[in-house]
Amino acid sequence: MNEYVQYYDLRQQIEATPLLIPKPPLYNFEDGATYAAHMDMLAQPLPNGEPSPFSSKEPGSGHGVLMAVVTHLQRAHAHEFNLVPDVWWIEWFRALGAEMQQAEYPVINLVFERSPEAVFSRVTATIPANTEIRSTRDPNIAAYTLYEDGIYGDQQTVTIPARINVLGTLPNLRIGEMAELPRFLSFVGGVQNDGSVVSPGKDPETLVQAMMRVRDGLRSGSLAQDPIDGNFDPTNDRFQARCITDADFAYWAKRLGCDKVNVLSAIQYGVTNGVFADLTTLVVYPSTLQELVFNSMVGMTVEPRRFDVRSAELIPIDGTITVKVIPSVAERDVFDIVATAIAAKVNPPYGIWGDPNFSATLATALEESFSIYAVPEMQLKHAETGEPLSAIVAQPWHLFEIQKTLEVVTVR
Amino acid sequence: MTVILPNSAYEFVGSAWSLFPPDSDRAGLNYVDGTRRITAGILAVCLIQQGEDPIHPSYGMAPDLFEPLSNYTPQLWVYHAEKIILQWVPGIEKLHVDVTKHNATENQLFAEIQFIPMTEPDLNTLTWNYYAYQGAAWEGEYDRFLQDVNLNGQPFFGLER
């Protein structure tokens, strides 16, 4: 009987003071959007240009029913994922060798100044380790010096790194804000932060961040521990990485600093026809990284796979573009608006590799800007040879680059 | 009667993989387009039960197994059929649903569905016996069921034979 009373007492207590924090779902699955994406992919035209046999998006069609079942199973799977407690994932990552990364304190530089009397009498000022300096603006922020140092000889100042007492990313600080010495320090005239940051600190890693890190680590073969002794050095023997799928090649080329990468499977550079099944060709932008990418990544490929890296070929384009702009835009501003849109959306490192509809891409990018509402006419040509754009056969290693010699005609 | 107004998505006919009929020369892989795609869509929405499709829970109008047709009047069936076909089968310009013969005691409802596709100005007539005992018909009297489904007077087999 007593147990029943305790049970209901506990129920009452929990209801009165709920301690449970609602947990956001780890894996947000939208079945409507997923179903629409599946049907959209099925409705795409075939590679040879023929319309898809599954172009209808009717739910009662065979592919509609099949995709509905697939999406339903995915949703059930996502629900099962969300039922797994977070601690299970954390322990699972530990089993894989990945620890959750802890928060770190930020460290800033403090400049200590010797008092005028000490300078005059040439007395050394010593700043002991763990000296406390407080913010003049926020009483909750303090900094503690990391080691002991002094101001010797003719020196006016000394710079000592100090740890901020707030765990996580660096709070907003003003230059000169850390200037309050709560305890008297002999021969020290003043102190302030000069704005330089040694370490910006780090918030504790969330589970989602850890998941992304472990995913990249598993893909790259090194469980995201690729910097050895703090250095990113693919030539080190202890460095482990592998490239199996196209996504692996793209991932490592991006890690090596490429702004834009195209992974060509079974295509040889310069050859428009033919299948080279064991060949992977990377096209990288900027072109200066070609040698670095090849030397770093050739060891990551699996043995029977041939590997080639080419730099992107830029095709300079200019000509005349006619744009329709809203009345409030002055004539002299139109070229700048066009140039901004091109630099932000069309020219490398943006744009599409070997874009077969470059005119449409350019017109779309221009029309997305606020003041241009139509691009009625476009006469584009190769900037050096004068060859019209329609005559240029775009290859997957080509990138189009609009030149400054482009002429813009405005129509009101 | 509430009819969802056609928009651009509803005007597209396209082509599809039809589940009807489930056995054919290509072992059920029937690719249909144009009028035949619309016919297959009408058959699908009439033969699938509401709630069977997990993504579209309101899709379908087949009655429960062993639910007698005497629960329906033909007028109510026509009302439901027109509404649901126009809602779920895209590409229909004009639709007319009629019940030519209704025998509640034998659970028979002969339906005549006339439609004009968006793509061609062509009147098509789909006639068939809408069974209440759907499962029984599909399992037991399948040949008779197939023979009953006629498009413009010819048996409709999805794929051209």
Side-chain angles (χ1 to χ4, degrees):
Chain A
M1 192 65 198
N2 196 22
E3 290 175 5
Y4 284 112
V5 174
Q6 282 181 348
Y7 172 76
Y8 285 110
D9 279 355
L10 186 62
R11 283 282 299 268
Q12 208 174 2
Q13 198 182 339
I14 289 173
E15 279 171 17
T17 55
L19 294 171
L20 294 174
I21 303 165
K23 186 164 73 73
L26 192 64
Y27 185 28
N28 282 314
F29 186 81
E30 294 179 13
D31 47 356
T34 310
Y35 177 81
H38 284 323
M39 296 298 275
D40 279 348
M41 278 188 276
L42 281 173
Q44 295 300 308
L46 301 181
N48 60 4
E50 287 177 20
S52 164
F54 308 113
S55 59
S56 170
K57 292 177 186 171
E58 185 193 338
S61 59
H63 57 279
V65 171
L66 180 65
M67 284 305 125
V69 173
V70 166
T71 310
H72 179 62
L73 291 176
Q74 282 183 298
R75 175 170 62 185
H77 216 94
H79 178 64
E80 292 286 330
F81 269 136
N82 285 332
L83 293 182
V84 174
D86 285 359
V87 69
W88 188 92
W89 292 110
I90 292 168
E91 291 300 320
W92 172 238
F93 289 156
R94 289 188 60 190
L96 291 174
E99 296 270 349
M100 298 282 284
Q101 288 176 353
Q102 299 300 311
E104 287 175 8
Y105 284 103
V107 178
I108 62 169
N109 275 329
L110 292 179
V111 180
F112 290 84
E113 196 182 331
R114 195 149 50 154
S115 63
E117 312 88 68
V119 175
F120 180 73
S121 52
R122 299 178 70 85
V123 179
T124 299
T126 306
I127 298 108
N130 226 13
T131 302
E132 183 181 0
I133 295 94
R134 300 205 77 92
S135 163
T136 52
R137 194 168 59 90
D138 186 348
N140 294 322
I141 296 178
Y144 300 90
T145 54
L146 291 184
Y147 51 79
E148 181 180 316
D149 206 344
I151 314 175
Y152 308 102
D154 293 334
Q155 280 183 323
Q156 285 284 339
T157 59
V158 67
T159 301
I160 306 176
R163 173 180 68 82
I164 300 281
N165 64 344
V166 181
L167 193 62
T169 50
L170 185 69
N172 290 329
L173 293 178
R174 296 176 189 172
I175 291 175
E177 175 185 335
M178 306 297 292
E180 194 179 313
L181 276 163
R183 288 165 199 83
F184 176 74
L185 211 54
S186 302
F187 309 118
V188 172
V191 59
Q192 62 175 5
N193 55 326
D194 60 353
S196 58
V197 175
V198 180
S199 161
K202 200 164 68 177
D203 284 328
E205 191 177 33
T206 65
L207 191 57
V208 172
Q209 286 168 342
M211 280 189 156
M212 303 299 279
R213 188 168 59 85
V214 170
R215 192 188 68 170
D216 280 346
L218 291 174
R219 169 198 279 173
S220 63
S222 59
L223 210 56
Q225 289 165 347
D226 37 69
I228 295 166
D229 304 330
N231 295 316
F232 180 74
D233 183 11
T235 58
N236 192 316
D237 288 340
R238 282 165 57 211
F239 183 83
Q240 292 178 339
R242 56 163 186 260
C243 291
I244 309 289
T245 63
D246 289 356
D248 300 343
F249 285 99
Y251 171 77
W252 279 110
K254 287 265 173 72
R255 283 301 305 268
L256 288 164
C258 296
D259 288 335
K260 198 169 172 65
V261 191
N262 200 8
V263 184
L264 306 177
S265 282
I267 294 174
Q268 185 168 345
Y269 170 80
V271 181
T272 48
N273 289 317
V275 174
F276 304 86
D278 60 340
L279 175 70
T280 295
T281 308
L282 285 192
V283 190
V284 297
Y285 177 88
S287 56
T288 48
L289 288 173
Q290 181 200 355
E291 206 177 331
L292 170 76
V293 170
F294 182 81
N295 292 335
S296 305
M297 289 182 63
V298 71
M300 302 181 194
T301 55
V302 184
E303 195 51 49
R305 177 153 289 275
R306 293 188 293 142
F307 180 59
D308 191 16
V309 179
R310 294 285 169 166
S311 54
E313 289 180 13
L314 301 185
I315 298 182
I317 296 288
D318 68 354
T320 311
I321 298 181
T322 310
V323 292
K324 288 192 172 182
V325 296
I326 57 175
S328 59
V329 173
E331 190 77 29
R332 63 178 182 279
D333 293 337
V334 174
F335 186 85
D336 285 348
I337 291 166
V338 170
T340 307
I342 287 171
K345 287 170 189 164
V346 179
N347 271 4
Y350 307 100
I352 300 170
W353 291 101
D355 192 351
N357 298 316
F358 180 68
S359 310
T361 308
L362 179 58
T364 308
L366 294 179
E367 285 167 7
E368 278 171 4
S369 69
F370 173 66
S371 25
I372 298 170
Y373 63 90
V375 185
E377 199 183 348
M378 222 182 250
Q379 302 278 345
L380 296 177
K381 60 178 176 57
H382 196 293
E384 288 159 12
T385 63
E387 193 181 6
L389 179 69
S390 54
I392 298 173
V393 182
Q395 300 294 344
W397 45 84
H398 285 164
L399 280 176
F400 293 106
E401 191 178 45
I402 307 262
Q403 304 296 304
K404 284 178 185 172
T405 46
L406 182 79
E407 286 177 32
V408 179
V409 179
T410 311
V411 178
R412 298 286 176 176
Chain B
M1 183 176 136
T2 314
V3 175
I4 293 179
L5 290 172
N7 57 31
S8 61
Y10 277 81
E11 290 169 8
F12 182 71
V13 176
S15 57
W17 166 27
S18 163
L19 286 181
F20 182 87
D23 67 334
S24 72
D25 293 349
R26 288 200 196 166
L29 272 176
N30 312 313
Y31 291 109
V32 288
D33 55 2
T35 306
R36 309 184 77 79
R37 204 231 70 193
I38 294 173
T39 309
I42 292 173
L43 287 167
V45 78
C46 291
L47 292 175
I48 288 178
Q49 275 192 357
Q50 208 173 67
E52 232 179 292
D53 185 337
I55 304 297
H56 311 89
S58 60
Y59 180 87
M61 60 170 288
D64 287 340
L65 192 62
F66 303 118
E67 183 185 336
L69 263 185
S70 51
N71 282 348
Y72 296 88
T73 61
Q75 291 86 350
L76 185 64
W77 190 87
V78 165
Y79 170 79
H80 278 305
E82 269 195 7
K83 199 170 76 167
I84 287 179
I85 289 170
L86 277 179
Q87 182 184 352
W88 288 110
V89 182
I92 297 178
E93 173 85 44
K94 211 82 169 156
L95 178 73
H96 179 73
V97 180
D98 208 352
V99 172
T100 53
K101 187 181 164 193
H102 181 238
N103 190 341
T105 52
E106 292 183 18
N107 274 317
Q108 284 184 331
L109 187 150
F110 285 90
E112 186 180 272
I113 300 172
Q114 293 181 317
F115 62 92
I116 300 175
M118 290 277 187
T119 44
E120 43 193 325
D122 182 21
L123 182 69
N124 297 277
T125 309
L126 171 69
T127 54
W128 56 308
N129 190 354
Y130 184 83
Y131 288 88
Y133 296 145
Q134 298 281 343
W138 278 68
E139 295 295 329
E141 302 174 68
Y142 186 60
D143 288 341
R144 209 186 114 202
F145 182 81
L146 275 184
Q147 289 299 323
D148 275 350
V149 180
N150 286 309
L151 178 64
N152 300 330
Q154 299 291 321
F156 177 72
F157 292 109
L159 199 70
E160 300 266 3
R161 289 204 164 185

